[in-house]
Amino acid sequence: MDTLSYKTISVNKETAKKEWVVIDATDQVVGRLCSKVAKILRGKYKPSFTPHADCGDNVIIINAEKVVFTGKKETEKLYTRYTGYPGGQRFNTPAQLRLRADGAEKIIRHAVKGMLPKGILGRSLQNNLYIYNGAEHKQQAQQPKVIDINKLK
C-alpha cells in the first residue's frame, strides 16, 4: 500500500484557490441564507477545507433589501447596540433597520458574523463579504460566477 497518496493536504493562504461568487438574496430567509454564505466564506464546500486557514470564496450578495424573515421576527426581533455612554443601550427591530440606507446590509452582516469563528480568522473572513442593496455590484472585473444558493446544503 502506498501511504504517500493518503497524506492530508493542508491549504494555506498562498495555495488556496479562491473564487468570486454572486448570490441573489431575493426572497431568501435571512438565517438560512447567511448560514450558507458563512459556509462558502469559510470554504466548507471545498474538498480542500482547512480549519485554520482562509480557503473560502469571496461572496457578493445582491438585492440584500429583498431578504425576508419568517414569522413575527420582522417586528419582534431586537438588535442591541451600545453607544459607550451610561444608559446608552439602543434597540432596533429589523423593520426599523430597513428604513436606513445600510439597514439590510447590517442585518445580513450581523447574522453572518455570528456564524463565523470568533478571533482573527473570523474577522479576516468578514472582509471577503460584499453586500449590495441593488442588482448591480462593483466587482465585475473579478468575473464572479452566479450560484443558486438553494442548491447548496
Side-chain angles (χ1 to χ4, degrees), residues 8-71:
T8 302
I9 299 170
S10 185
V11 177
N12 60 17
K13 192 174 182 179
E14 291 77 29
T15 61
K17 293 179 177 61
K18 296 174 72 75
E19 297 176 347
W20 287 81
V21 296
V22 174
I23 297 172
D24 188 6
T26 305
D27 296 328
Q28 296 288 329
V29 178
V30 174
R32 294 161 202 248
L33 168 75
C34 292
S35 65
K36 292 175 184 177
V37 167
K39 277 186 176 181
I40 294 171
L41 285 170
R42 189 86 201 274
K44 288 205 166 192
Y45 288 114
K46 294 184 174 185
S48 62
F49 169 67
T50 306
H52 59 80
D54 178 7
C55 55
D57 295 333
N58 296 302
V59 178
I60 303 162
I61 298 178
I62 58 173
N63 295 319
E65 78 276 354
K66 296 180 183 175
V67 293
V68 295
F69 284 93
T70 57

Side-chain angles (χ1 to χ4, degrees), residues 58-110:
N58 296 302
V59 178
I60 303 162
I61 298 178
I62 58 173
N63 295 319
E65 78 276 354
K66 296 180 183 175
V67 293
V68 295
F69 284 93
T70 57
K72 299 179 183 178
K73 293 186 196 84
E74 186 75 36
T75 56
E76 292 184 4
K77 180 178 174 67
L78 286 178
Y79 289 103
T80 307
R81 64 184 178 87
Y82 181 60
T83 64
Y85 290 97
Q89 197 171 24
R90 304 287 186 254
F91 303 98
N92 287 323
T93 63
Q96 292 168 339
L97 281 178
R98 285 182 194 267
L99 299 175
R100 298 175 51 171
D102 60 345
E105 178 183 348
K106 285 190 181 292
I107 290 171
I108 293 175
R109 270 197 201 282
H110 183 270

